[in-house]
Amino acid sequence: MSEGFKPLGRAGMAARVAADIPAGWYVNLGIGIPTLAADFVPVEREVVLHSENGILGMGPAPASDNEVNPWLVNASTQRVTLRDGGSYVHHADSFAMVRGGHLDLCVLGGFQVAENGDLANWSQSATETGRQIGGAMDLAVGAKRVWVVMEHQTKDGQPRILRRCSYPLTAAGCVSRVYTNLAVLDVTPDGFKVIDMVPGLSLAELQARSEATLSS
Amino acid sequence: MIDKRVASMAEAMAGIRDGATVLMAGFGDAGAPHALMDGLIEQGAKELTLVVNSAGRVHKAGEPTSGVARLIELGRVRKVITTFLRENSVAGRLVREGRMQAEVIPQGTLAERLRAAGSGVPAFFTPTGAGTLVAEGKEVREYNGRPCILELALPGDVALVEAWEADRWGNLIFRESGRNFNPIMAMAGQLTIVQAHHIRELGTLEPNRVVTPGIFVNRVLHLPVGDPKLPG
């Protein structure tokens, strides 16, 4: 069956989010596709990137071996650089930036987002031994805006855009916008509102891939 | 004369008791006092509560096992307080087997609990974790229209810290993202032990650059161990 639309790939989703981040914002980009968004923010658009491990003004990965500084890693423990104007702080000050409401935006990956803005992105079962919370709960609660980037459905076709999350929550009512491989959705008091779709996709087709009711 | 320098690892580790709460700094390999962790393994204290950002990566064949994972694997840790507990790590296995307890908490809450401990604040309310599994068993109060949960300060009997430069008073300077948990664990530790790459003459550390003043430090061991390795 050939469909009349083409879902975005990882880079396409990252580029779509990056297009909406204005100059002057202080932003934390979560692990995965959100991190890729940094590659699509031109350096002359001064967006100041925060990393949980105490970096404000984080730059891209080192361009050559000469630029590598083994003391400078991001929250995914990948080697990075510091932009002019960047600075280092300890972990409590780094999370004061997060929890104190100083970040304009946090972009997080997600498993599920509900129409009330609930986010599930750290665990798929309350009974798992493995728990990887990291900074996700602090970021989801503390940033002025929380945007989520994720595939519209799971690999086996289950919806991630839900009436209520079934996985353990990261935070309640925190998400303001969702970027998927099919659409951009705002979370409003009346539920999900579609503000953008990939070319060729109809609202009915998007609705069929979502559990929550969508409006346009 | 104040001289917090110690000459040997045995001297650095002296007096750490069974049942102690040990704070281990570091984020990735940057600023992680791996040599002090090796020293703690050698020293032998057990029934420990270990506070560490990550309870260990999933071990890959052919790679050296991290000190944190070895301490856990040796059964020396009664409880780990951490922000990352991986299902397939040594720590995940011991928790599944009922041989170790785990408290997995948000990273900002960990940082704030340490800062609170170092600052004489016994507890605080935060919206982080409210309405999630993290809130289980915790007092909830509403502030500014948001539910907040009560979190307790997290003091350590011992803090293991890494610094780039130190002097004999225990003043510390860190490098880049190697700062991470080091200053707040130094504050929260009753006995703060530092491994430092460089020992400088008293009076030669630029006072404007000192991040952790020596009042928060008890022992300094000179260990020029080299740059952090990129984690696998």
Side-chain angles (χ1 to χ4, degrees):
Chain A
M1 189 182 87
S2 86
E3 295 173 312
F5 61 89
K6 190 170 182 300
L8 297 175
R10 287 166 58 87
M13 294 165 73
R16 180 64 190 81
V17 178
D20 288 348
I21 303 175
W25 275 17
Y26 292 87
V27 178
N28 182 291
L29 300 174
I31 291 169
I33 297 173
T35 298
L36 290 179
D39 296 340
F40 297 94
V41 178
V43 70
E44 62 274 14
R45 193 200 304 164
E46 291 196 330
V47 172
V48 182
L49 296 181
H50 169 266
S51 183
E52 294 95 301
N53 57 325
I55 309 171
L56 191 64
M58 181 172 59
S64 69
D65 286 351
N66 293 337
E67 272 188 49
V68 166
N69 177 347
W71 293 84
L72 184 45
V73 296
N74 65 13
S76 306
T77 67
Q78 299 158 328
R79 284 177 178 158
V80 292
T81 53
L82 190 74
R83 283 183 69 146
D84 287 350
S87 56
Y88 304 112
V89 294
H90 62 60
H91 240 83
D93 282 352
S94 178
F95 276 90
M97 295 176 192
V98 176
R99 293 154 68 109
H102 303 282
L103 293 179
D104 295 290
L105 171 68
C106 170
V107 185
L108 291 171
F111 295 143
Q112 300 176 330
V113 177
E115 62 190 8
N116 60 358
D118 288 0
L119 168 65
N121 86 339
W122 68 279
S123 169
Q124 300 187 33
S125 161
T127 60
E128 280 176 336
T129 302
R131 289 190 170 185
Q132 299 183 43
I133 300 176
M137 289 188 179
D138 305 289
L139 288 160
V141 166
K144 289 178 191 163
R145 298 170 190 80
V146 176
W147 295 351
V148 171
V149 188
M150 64 182 187
E151 302 280 325
H152 203 87
Q153 294 169 287
T154 64
K155 284 193 175 65
D156 54 357
Q158 296 300 307
R160 296 176 185 272
I161 299 292
L162 303 175
R163 282 191 284 274
R164 288 291 178 271
C165 294
S166 59
Y167 293 160
L169 291 190
T170 306
C174 63
V175 179
S176 56
R177 187 178 282 178
V178 185
Y179 293 81
T180 77
N181 52 339
L182 300 179
V184 182
L185 311 166
D186 268 347
V187 178
T188 76
D190 302 319
F192 286 109
K193 186 171 190 292
V194 181
I195 61 170
D196 195 10
M197 288 190 286
V198 294
L201 179 70
S202 71
L203 183 60
E205 287 170 313
L206 187 65
Q207 180 64 68
R209 291 163 174 76
S210 314
E211 185 206 64
T213 302
L214 312 181
S215 65
S216 60
Chain B
M1 186 174 96
I2 298 171
D3 192 354
K4 298 181 181 181
R5 293 173 297 176
V6 292
S8 69
M9 182 62 80
E11 207 179 324
M13 293 293 132
I16 300 177
R17 290 196 289 269
D18 292 354
T21 295
V22 176
L23 314 177
M24 166 77 180
F27 192 103
D29 276 352
H34 291 305
L36 295 182
M37 176 52 71
D38 291 345
L40 178 63
I41 291 170
E42 178 74 20
Q43 190 262 3
K46 55 187 188 295
E47 295 292 314
L48 301 170
T49 294
L50 178 65
V51 180
V52 63
N53 181 61
S54 167
R57 291 184 284 274
V58 177
H59 184 251
K60 292 177 186 148
E63 281 183 1
T65 310
S66 77
V68 167
R70 271 184 286 129
L71 187 76
I72 289 172
E73 193 159 35
L74 287 166
R76 303 262 293 278
V77 178
R78 182 184 65 82
K79 180 180 183 181
V80 66
I81 300 176
T82 186
T83 83
F84 285 100
L85 178 71
R86 291 173 176 83
E87 188 80 23
N88 296 319
S89 64
V90 170
R93 174 164 59 78
L94 264 72
V95 171
R96 269 197 308 284
E97 291 170 355
R99 293 161 60 198
M100 183 175 74
Q101 299 170 41
E103 182 182 341
V104 185
I105 64 176
Q107 206 168 101
T109 293
L110 173 59
E112 198 62 26
R113 289 178 67 187
L114 292 163
R115 173 157 64 182
S119 310
V121 176
F124 58 90
F125 280 94
T126 176
T128 295
T132 76
L133 293 174
V134 165
E136 282 178 1
K138 291 174 185 166
E139 183 183 338
V140 181
R141 280 195 208 174
E142 201 164 287
Y143 290 101
N144 304 320
R146 307 174 91 174
C148 297
I149 57 178
L150 183 67
E151 296 283 3
L152 304 181
L154 183 51
D157 299 301
V158 178
L160 305 183
V161 163
E162 193 206 49
W164 179 244
E165 293 171 283
D167 62 21
R168 66 175 170 82
W169 278 20
N171 295 310
L172 305 180
I173 289 174
F174 305 96
R175 269 199 72 169
E176 289 94 17
S177 63
R179 189 179 308 192
N180 60 69
F181 285 96
N182 284 293
I184 52 176
M185 286 188 169
M187 290 170 65
Q190 190 68 37
L191 170 63
T192 293
I193 307 166
V194 178
Q195 67 174 72
H197 286 255
H198 302 283
I199 302 288
R200 306 295 189 200
E201 284 297 316
L202 195 69
T204 65
L205 292 181
E206 159 59 45
N208 285 304
R209 291 177 58 231
V210 171
V211 170
T212 294
I215 191 169
F216 297 123
V217 170
N218 302 92
R219 296 175 186 168
V220 176
L221 183 61
H222 184 208
L223 287 172
V225 293
D227 288 338
K229 296 176 290 293
L230 192 65

